[in-house]
Amino acid sequence: MSGRIDGKVALISGGASGIGLATAERFADEGAKVAVTDINIAKGQELVTELREKGHDALFLELDVVDANSWRAVVGKIQEEWGRLDILLNSAGIGRAHPLLEMTLEEWRQTTSINLDGTFLGTQAAIRAMKDNNGGSIINISSVLGLIGLPNVSAYAASKGGVRLFTKAAAMECAELELNIRVNSVHPGYIETPMVMRRFNKSEEQNAIDIKELGQQHPLGRLGQREEVAGLVLYLASDEASFITGSEFVIDGGYTAK
Ligand SMILES: NC(=O)c1ccc[n+]([C@@H]2O[C@H](COP(=O)([O-])OP(=O)(O)OC[C@H]3O[C@@H](n4cnc5c(N)ncnc54)[C@H](O)[C@@H]3O)[C@@H](O)[C@H]2O)c1
């Protein structure tokens, strides 16, 4: 049985939930060896157990994306275990709303450090490892909020806008150094993951109305599914995307096309 990323070694940050989790499953189904990393140890280990039960090569490693040493240790362990690193998905992130006039510097820094600093540290650690195997693919999850602004999400939008341009600059640097490492960003609209669903905390009836209303803000009339994002990430991770670098991929049911 041959998959679209057969034999490749992938590292996923934020792999215990949502988009990271769906991508870990898809990568494994398509033949990759998958290192699931997260600060949520229980959920990460649970996923890896499931993947192994299906006969996949997978391991869980604890990783807080804001910690440079932790990145070095995780990449080192993957190289020790599987001898290389081919794919990095930077999916770890938080999405907290803070009205601009009330936001503290601490709140601003919490969002920008996890979403943006974490992406920088991961990309740097991965490039250092990918140089050893003559290439690779890095996919950074930004957001539609890395392209447009909305009220109450200035820290999140700043972090995701930063991820967008950091991605392009990193891609240019890898190309200039002839590293054969591609770096691209993915910009989802609202996807039905715990990050989005935890905001619906009213009555069941009210939640159904609110979810429908949020879905209808997308011209396709619904929220996105994490598997849909995983399919795009898989494409960018695979050799099918060999001429794509420094690009931004919007997957939002038309949200930003209006
Ligand atoms: N769900 C959406 O609608 C949506 C839309 C656009 C972009 N995104 C982005 O997609 C990515 C994944 O989001 P999701 O919806 O799957 O969310 P999620 O909450 O389901 O998963 C995020 C994961 O990141 C982990 N995480 C948080 N802080 C971390 C840290 N410091 N170190 C390591 N792991 C950490 C969490 O434990 C969790 O497992 C995020 O970057 C998010 O901003 C999500």
Side-chain angles (χ1 to χ4, degrees), residues 14 16-19 38-40 63-65 91-94 114 141-143 156 160 188-191 193-196 198:
S17 177
I19 292 168
D38 206 291
I39 46 171
N40 191 330
L63 170 70
D64 183 340
V65 292
S91 188
I94 57 167
I114 294 174
I141 304 290
S142 175
S143 169
Y156 185 79
K160 293 300 187 178
Y190 288 88
I191 309 298
T193 70
M195 180 184 281
V196 166
R198 68 173 71 97

Side-chain angles (χ1 to χ4, degrees), residues 92-161:
I94 57 167
R96 306 213 172 121
H98 299 291
L100 175 56
L101 296 182
E102 287 157 29
M103 181 167 38
T104 64
L105 182 57
E106 199 182 21
E107 286 165 340
W108 165 273
R109 283 191 176 142
Q110 189 189 28
T111 296
T112 55
S113 72
I114 294 174
N115 294 356
L116 182 56
D117 300 2
T119 300
F120 149 63
L121 290 172
T123 301
Q124 186 184 57
I127 291 172
R128 287 176 177 153
M130 288 171 179
K131 275 169 74 172
D132 295 345
N133 46 270
N134 212 17
S137 174
I138 298 172
I139 302 104
N140 296 327
I141 304 290
S142 175
S143 169
V144 289
L145 291 168
L147 303 169
I148 59 165
L150 285 178
N152 302 322
V153 293
S154 57
Y156 185 79
S159 71
K160 293 300 187 178

Side-chain angles (χ1 to χ4, degrees), residues 235-249:
Y235 169 67
L236 292 170
S238 77
D239 293 338
E240 295 160 42
S242 51
F243 199 47
I244 299 178
T245 198
S247 284
E248 56 195 72
F249 288 79

Side-chain angles (χ1 to χ4, degrees), residues 1-13 19-36 51 56-58 85-91 130 137-139 141 227 229-238:
M1 211 174 63
S2 86
R4 288 165 64 187
I5 47 174
D6 240 353
K8 289 192 193 281
V9 173
L11 192 182
I12 299 179
S13 82
I19 292 168
L21 182 150
T23 306
E25 291 178 330
R26 191 70 205 277
F27 278 5
D29 283 343
E30 296 290 341
K33 298 176 170 68
V34 181
V36 174
L51 293 173
H56 299 310
D57 268 332
L85 178 67
D86 302 291
I87 299 162
L88 167 66
L89 170 65
N90 279 309
S91 188
M130 288 171 179
S137 174
I138 298 172
I139 302 104
I141 304 290
E227 293 77 11
V229 182
L232 173 56
V233 174
L234 169 67
Y235 169 67
L236 292 170
S238 77

Side-chain angles (χ1 to χ4, degrees), residues 12-17 34-49 51-52 57-64 74 77-78 81-82:
I12 299 179
S13 82
S17 177
V34 181
V36 174
T37 71
D38 206 291
I39 46 171
N40 191 330
I41 301 170
K43 286 220 164 138
Q45 282 175 338
E46 194 183 310
L47 170 62
V48 164
T49 303
L51 293 173
R52 285 186 176 156
D57 268 332
L59 59 90
F60 174 75
L61 298 167
E62 186 181 357
L63 170 70
D64 183 340
V74 159
K77 276 194 195 130
I78 292 168
E81 188 78 18
W82 291 320

